[in-house]
Amino acid sequence: MSAQHATHANGAHDAHGHDDHHHDAGPHSTFSGYMTGFVLSIILTAIPFWLVMAKVIADRNTAVLVLGGFAVIQILVHMVFFLHMNGKIEGGWTLLSTIFTVVFVAIAIAGTLWVMFHMNANMMPEHPTPTPPTHEAPGHSTP
């Protein structure tokens, strides 16, 4: 009997003949978990839609902040209920890589906006507006 066969004979398989390699295969969500995520997604879509359509928030900056807040909450709901991201899966590496990606994208967007703002402010000098020349009727000359 070879060493490989001896390993299999000594219990590398469970009672059903499956290898015991995937202890951390990730959570398997239940129907109620998916429905909770679905209902939260519907609510987090309907409330901002109503806020905009009913013109509840008059100030544009406040509306952008409120709608952005709802968007961030909805992203978190999708990540938890549909992508099953938490600190336990794969030893927390999935969550850590997601946090790294979010931070990297935020730095890239902030840096791009900063550069664009300063280029607009510093590279575009104010030019005086030239006055349009006045045209005189042909044949009439002034001495």
Side-chain angles (χ1 to χ4, degrees):
M1 186 181 221
S2 70
Q4 186 179 20
H5 292 311
T7 304
H8 289 295
N10 290 334
H13 293 285
D14 63 3
H16 301 289
H18 296 109
D19 286 335
D20 204 16
H21 294 287
H22 42 76
H23 289 293
D24 192 21
H28 298 285
S29 186
T30 62
F31 180 74
S32 64
Y34 282 119
M35 287 308 296
T36 301
F38 179 70
V39 169
L40 286 172
S41 296
I42 296 294
I43 291 170
L44 291 170
T45 300
I47 291 173
F49 183 79
W50 172 75
L51 289 173
V52 170
M53 295 306 289
K55 298 180 181 171
V56 174
I57 303 172
D59 183 40
R60 180 181 170 97
N61 293 333
T62 304
V64 167
L65 288 174
V66 169
L67 296 177
F70 274 103
V72 168
I73 293 170
Q74 191 167 57
I75 289 170
L76 293 174
V77 165
H78 284 230
M79 288 173 64
V80 169
F81 287 99
F82 300 122
L83 298 177
H84 310 294
M85 297 188 99
N86 59 32
K88 297 175 186 173
I89 298 182
E90 296 179 13
W93 285 108
T94 304
L95 184 62
L96 188 64
S97 65
T98 303
I99 291 170
F100 172 77
T101 302
V102 168
V103 169
F104 183 79
V105 169
I107 290 171
I109 290 172
T112 301
L113 292 174
W114 180 72
V115 167
M116 290 172 66
F117 174 77
H118 284 286
M119 283 185 68
N120 184 37
N122 296 325
M123 300 298 283
M124 302 297 286
E126 295 289 328
H127 294 291
T129 307
T131 56
T134 56
H135 295 290
E136 297 181 8
H140 295 107
S141 62
T142 55

